[in-house]
Amino acid sequence: MKTNGVRVKKGQAVLAGRVLGALVLGGLWTVTAGNQVEAARDYSNLQDLGKVTLVEEKKEPVVVQAEPETAAEDTYAGGQVSRKSSIGVLGKKDFMEVPFNVISISEETMQNQQASNIIDVVANDSSVTDLTLSGASNAWSIRGFKTTQQDVQLNGIYGVAPRYYTGIEYLENVEILKGPSAMLSGMAPNDTVGGVINYVTKHAGDEDKNTVTLTYGEGHQFTQQLDMSRRFNDGKYGVRLNVLNRGSQEDAYKNESNSANTVFMGFDAKGERWRTSLDMGYIYNDIENPQYQVTMSQATANKLTALPSVSDDATFGAPDTYRRVTEKFALWKGEYDLNDDWTAWAAFGMRNTSQDGLSNRFLLNNVNGNARVSYVHNRQINKAISSEFGVRGHLQTGSLSHEVSIAASQVRYKVYEDKPTVTPTYTTSVYSPSWQTYTDGSYGPYLIRDNRVQQSVGINDIISTADNRWNFILGGRIQQVKDTSYSYSGSTLKSTTRYDETAFTPTFGIVHKVNDRMSLYANYAQGLSLGETAPDGTENAGQTFAPYKTTQYEVGAKFDFGKIATTISAFTMKNPSFITTDDNYYALA
């Protein structure tokens, strides 16, 4: 391919909403938002009922303010976009100094657009295309390659960010790095190669924060959010709390409702030579009647001369289906300055995601519009443990300066499943779908299904000339992936190591600062994906292929005009694909 388990009943958790509402009675104002970032969703009925900041001063009564916060110094005018982004093992860099196309979208932008979902935010970037089908299937593509929430980083670490929930109430920035980034961050858990999205969490600022935000949206969707922060001991310690409660009868998708209860806390501390942070989150997200896509076999697709014409408000998600998710995560990070030139860092994170989902498949099986409906009940527990440590420092060789980074990382994933059998399977029409009452199977224990370990070591060197006009980046990462799947014969557990492979991914880049306002850059980068397994029916069925690489060549120019900045780039990406050959072998094309 080439391309330029507990259900929250209705009414529960409304106490927080009542308390928050009492705080701001008499101080609400309404702003109507028009269509903002994507045609698939209608935000025309979304209303921001108000953002009220409560500031408590010594020996003074509470003062109510409605003024926006001052933009941080590292953002452009208006505070919409940050100048610096986290570039994997390279650390935090000004976008003019790195040979990659990267953008960091600030909290200010999210608030101004009344964004509530990561899709709303990333749609600001022209390299990103929304592939979302419903609240239960958020997906997007970067530079033409699909990615999902499962491949998002949290403060630069894979495996810790919420696996399904896409709310953004706890985020300070959303960073988007376009192109493969295996050298910078390691291999993405689900093989994303078009780019990487990094969540930067909120921490306490220099000023105390007491903000209540009430939002009323389409489908009677009422959201209450509390955002508070404090610093202690002359600013050495900080804590930030975000609480959100959202209930809805229907969201932007017909017949679908989406409610959530979330709590996030961010702690940070800093000393003369050290910095540390701890982020923790709890999420309960209930989506009722999620809408899914119509699928078809290759044989049916070959016979179609045109797609079936259905009404704009047609739905193909069966009634009484659902997805209920509970997510808990925590991430600790720390840095220590060994001396004036060298810094060591470490990170450790964990996530536990419990999902109970009943969904239907709607398979178009002939050109006349007949379709087969079947049900899938997936009860799953997904666990991840992530760790990273490294050092970064400066060296001098003659007139050239070197910024060297060495890092090692590991992510461990375990998946436990129980899949009750759901009946019936029946035939209907894509033009006027009918639904039958389903019968759910009995629940069994959660059994381990998959155990994957991804570990890597990366090293890179940023070489700069004496006048800092030329920067060269040389780096690479050795990535090992071991994946073991499990099956059961009665009570007997059988394990199969599908994978135990190692691959090396290099990256090269160059930046030339023409002047203070213009940089030219070029890069060669690689992405890494797990090799597929030959399907049943092929001559080599069951064969697992080694990891394969996506390669990118990119050139571009960056312009910084003080109040605004822009990047112009041209790239080509080549990603191998798998095919079934004429002699019925499954192989790389």
Side-chain angles (χ1 to χ4, degrees), residues 51 54 57 153 159 354 390 419 513:
K51 176 181 177 182
L54 308 178
E57 299 179 351
Q153 295 181 336
S354 175
K419 289 188 175 182
K513 297 179 183 178

Side-chain angles (χ1 to χ4, degrees), residues 382-582:
N382 188 294
K383 298 181 179 182
I385 299 177
S386 300
S387 58
E388 181 182 78
F389 63 91
V391 293
R392 182 184 303 113
H394 294 85
L395 299 171
Q396 193 74 27
T397 58
S399 62
L400 300 178
S401 63
H402 302 257
E403 184 177 336
V404 178
S405 299
I406 304 173
S409 64
Q410 183 186 82
V411 189
R412 291 179 173 269
Y413 299 94
K414 286 188 177 181
V415 178
Y416 302 82
E417 283 185 337
D418 172 34
K419 289 188 175 182
T421 301
V422 187
T423 56
T425 295
Y426 56 92
T427 300
T428 185
S429 171
V430 71
Y431 301 108
S432 56
S434 61
W435 310 105
Q436 297 183 15
T437 303
Y438 67 86
T439 301
D440 204 352
S442 59
Y443 294 175
Y446 286 98
L447 302 175
I448 188 168
R449 296 294 183 182
D450 190 71
N451 183 9
R452 182 194 297 182
V453 179
Q454 296 180 192
Q455 50 194 9
S456 65
V457 176
I459 182 170
N460 69 85
D461 184 9
I462 303 176
I463 306 170
S464 303
T465 57
D467 59 3
N468 206 31
R469 292 293 186 184
W470 292 89
N471 289 336
F472 304 89
I473 293 181
L474 307 175
R477 183 179 292 262
I478 298 175
Q479 178 87 54
Q480 182 190 35
V481 184
K482 183 176 181 179
D483 187 272
T484 304
S485 61
Y486 299 85
S487 59
Y488 295 83
S489 177
S491 59
T492 303
L493 173 65
K494 180 182 179 181
S495 63
T496 303
T497 300
R498 300 190 309 114
Y499 239 93
D500 191 353
E501 300 284 350
T502 301
F504 176 73
T505 51
T507 292
F508 309 100
I510 183 172
V511 179
H512 174 50
K513 297 179 183 178
V514 179
N515 51 48
D516 291 340
R517 298 191 178 277
M518 179 180 178
S519 292
L520 303 177
Y521 75 93
N523 70 59
Y524 167 83
Q526 290 189 345
L528 193 61
S529 303
L530 286 178
E532 298 184 15
T533 300
D536 293 339
T538 58
E539 294 294 331
N540 55 335
Q543 177 186 351
T544 300
F545 292 86
Y548 61 95
K549 300 176 182 180
T550 299
T551 57
Q552 171 185 273
Y553 298 89
E554 179 180 9
V555 295
K558 301 180 180 184
F559 303 90
D560 184 350
F561 301 109
K563 293 185 177 181
I564 62 173
T566 188
T567 298
I568 301 173
S569 64
F571 66 93
T572 179
M573 292 178 63
K574 186 175 182 180
N575 177 246
S577 59
F578 287 87
I579 62 171
T580 301
T581 62
D582 293 339

Side-chain angles (χ1 to χ4, degrees), residues 257-289:
S257 67
N258 191 328
S259 61
N261 303 100
T262 69
V263 180
F264 301 96
M265 295 196 71
F267 303 90
D268 70 278
K270 52 189 177 182
E272 183 177 350
R273 300 181 65 176
W274 57 271
R275 297 154 297 281
T276 188
S277 64
L278 175 64
D279 294 278
M280 300 185 296
Y282 170 85
I283 298 161
Y284 179 79
N285 186 204
D286 182 5
I287 301 176
E288 299 290 324
N289 303 318

Side-chain angles (χ1 to χ4, degrees), residues 15 49 94 129 141 295 299 325 331 362 431 492 504 544 579 581:
L15 178 59
L49 297 183
D94 189 291
T129 302
S141 70
T295 60
V325 174
L331 174 64
F362 200 97
Y431 301 108
T492 303
F504 176 73
T544 300
I579 62 171
T581 62

Side-chain angles (χ1 to χ4, degrees), residues 101 142-143 177-182 193-196 525-526 552 554 573:
N101 192 326
I142 304 176
R143 290 190 167 177
L177 188 151
K178 277 81 79 176
S181 59
V193 294
V196 61
Q526 290 189 345
Q552 171 185 273
E554 179 180 9
M573 292 178 63

